[in-house]
Structure formats: structure tokens, C-alpha cells
Amino acid sequence: MRTTTGLPDWDTVLAVVAHPDDESFGLGAILSTLAAAGARVHVLCLTRGEASTLHGARGEEIEGDLSVIRERELRAAADALGARGVTLLDLPDGGLTALGADAIDDAVEREIEAVRPDGLVAFDSTGISGHPDHVAATAAAVRAGERHDLGVLAWVLPDAICATLAGEGYAGFLGRPADEIDLALTVDRAAQLAAVECHPSQAVPGSVLWRRLELQGDTEHLRWLRRP
């Protein structure tokens, strides 16, 4: 494992994610660490997460327009993480791959022109869970990095954590071997956990999220998809 303990010294960071809650469930501790270090963190979320369902994290009934509810959750979570801004788009949840690269690239390009980031943060190119929307969002971030000569830093899971989850019945996570991990970051998860609480329609008790966070402990793992 080629690791350091520090994040890049970026003044402005753009996180590119597919769904409301990706910024918290996946990137939360990374984004809050960047924000705490003084970076201006912005979140671009490509879809409103309308293809999901209203779970009710504490068993209560949740009523209303799901896209409106998830926007409210996203903005509250971004505040909890210390993000400076959120742009929420209306691209089709579950349909980013079918939409095609050009439409996604145009959306990311507009955000880069507005934010002028020094670097990008995204999920691993595997999508972590293999979700096609995650894969499409990250691919768009990498293409943007190529166009603008920006580093793209990806959140990854080590193979060992994915193997443990699979052994406990949580199959489907796609990890990386140690020699493909570039950075191991010690994190304080307080802000991430506060952000997760802002997504009551999705953070259900018994979800694999909680077991994954337990296994990750106070460490996040990252790899460069495009070095700065």
C-alpha cells in the first residue's frame, strides 16, 4: 500500500456524486476532513434520487415528494459536512448510463466553470457497489480532470473489508488490493455521522452502511484516478 496520511492541499474541491446521500454515506468523512482543513468544498449531485423509496429510518411514516425530500436531506447533510455549496441536477436516477457521456459532461463542465476547483473527489471507478450511476458519475469526473488537468481522488474500500462484508451476507462491494491504494487517511467521523442523520429516508437501521463504517473505523482509503 503506497500511503501517506495527508490530503492534497486544495483550496477548492468539487465532489461529483450520483445521488443524494452519496456525499455522506460514501464521501462524508473525506469531505468533512477537507472542509475542516480549510478547503472550500462543493458538491455536485447529478440526480435527485427519485428512483429510491421512502424507508423511514426510525420507522416513522415519511410522506411527500421524494425528490423534494431528498433535496432537503442533501442540503442539510452538506451543511453538516461543512460544504460551501450544493448543486443538485435533474438527470435521471438509474439512467445516467443510458443518458450518455455528453449530457453528463456538459453538466460537470458547467459546475467546474462556476466553482473553479483545484481537484475533484468521487467514488472509485468501480462505483464501490457497482451501481451504474456511481460508475457514470466517476467516469465524468475523470473526463473533467483530463480536460482541465485536475487531480481526481477516489474513495475506495480495501479488499479485506469487502471480503468481511461478503462473508456476513453483504455481497456486491468492490474493493481494491493494498497495492492499488494510495492514501490512508485518519478521520473523525462525527461530521459524517451527523450528515447521515440528515438522510432519514435512506439511513435505515440494520443497513450495511453501519457495518461498513464499523469496519472502516477511523480510516478512509483513497486512490488517484488522475494524479494532479
Side-chain angles (χ1 to χ4, degrees), residues 43-218:
V43 176
L44 172 62
C45 184
L46 299 178
T47 82
R48 301 180 74 92
E50 72 278 3
S52 184
T53 56
L54 288 173
H55 298 301
R58 287 173 289 273
E60 73 275 23
E61 290 294 324
I62 298 178
E63 298 180 353
D65 184 326
L66 180 57
S67 66
V68 173
I69 290 168
R70 297 201 71 184
E71 176 177 5
R72 184 170 63 243
E73 292 177 345
L74 169 63
R75 295 190 184 280
D79 285 345
L81 295 173
R84 297 288 187 91
V86 174
T87 298
L88 178 60
L89 302 182
D90 288 304
L91 301 182
D93 182 12
L96 293 184
T97 300
L99 186 64
D102 288 347
I104 304 172
D105 286 355
D106 287 347
V108 176
E109 191 67 23
R110 287 193 297 272
E111 190 70 6
I112 286 179
E113 290 176 0
V115 172
R116 300 294 181 184
D118 300 302
L120 305 174
V121 178
F123 279 34
D124 193 8
S125 55
T126 63
I128 299 291
S129 64
H131 194 305
D133 281 356
H134 295 170
V135 174
T138 295
V142 172
R143 291 191 297 270
E146 294 288 348
R147 290 193 303 272
H148 294 275
D149 193 24
L150 297 172
V152 182
L153 193 58
W155 167 57
V156 305
L157 288 176
D159 277 345
I161 287 179
C162 296
T164 299
L165 290 171
E168 295 175 356
Y170 301 112
F173 287 93
L174 302 173
R176 292 284 176 181
D179 63 358
E180 293 181 9
I181 294 173
D182 296 310
L183 191 153
L185 178 69
T186 300
V187 297
D188 180 339
R189 295 202 184 275
Q192 180 182 28
L193 293 174
V196 168
E197 286 292 318
C198 294
H199 288 282
S201 74
Q202 305 300 312
V204 298
S207 165
V208 64
L209 166 68
W210 306 110
R211 179 55 175 151
R212 172 171 59 76
L213 290 175
E214 181 181 14
L215 291 171
Q216 289 178 268
D218 65 354

